[in-house]
Amino acid sequence: MAPVRVNVVSPGTVDGNLWAGRPAADREAAFAQYRGDTLLHRLGTEDEIAQAVVFLFTNGFTTGSTLYPDGGYTLR
């Protein structure tokens, strides 16, 4: 695939725009579950996910990788 670089960002649960349209009770139940399951015990922010994307854009040596900005969810 060279010279094309292919990377993926697989974020955890983010308290952002995609959740805004869901009912508050559903949103809070999902958030509480995620907080309990992740090592950092908090949700991510849209800015934190954007920083992961910027890293992949600016690091020309990274390819074929998946970044997991998920607060340690995948390590539990």
Side-chain angles (χ1 to χ4, degrees):
M1 292 193 309
V4 175
R5 295 184 311 119
V6 178
N7 295 293
V8 176
V9 176
S10 181
T13 299
V14 175
D15 187 4
N17 187 48
L18 292 177
W19 282 95
R22 299 212 179 167
D26 294 345
R27 188 173 56 244
E28 284 309 313
F31 289 176
Q33 178 70 43
Y34 191 80
R35 284 184 195 104
D37 289 345
T38 186
L39 297 179
L40 294 181
H41 301 293
R42 69 176 182 85
L43 303 172
T45 66
E46 291 172 332
D47 285 344
E48 289 170 321
I49 306 311
Q51 289 173 16
V53 172
V54 169
F55 166 76
L56 290 174
F57 281 152
T58 58
N59 185 305
F61 194 61
T62 303
T63 191
S65 296
T66 302
L67 290 185
Y68 296 94
D70 64 3
Y73 182 84
T74 56
L75 298 175
R76 60 182 177 89

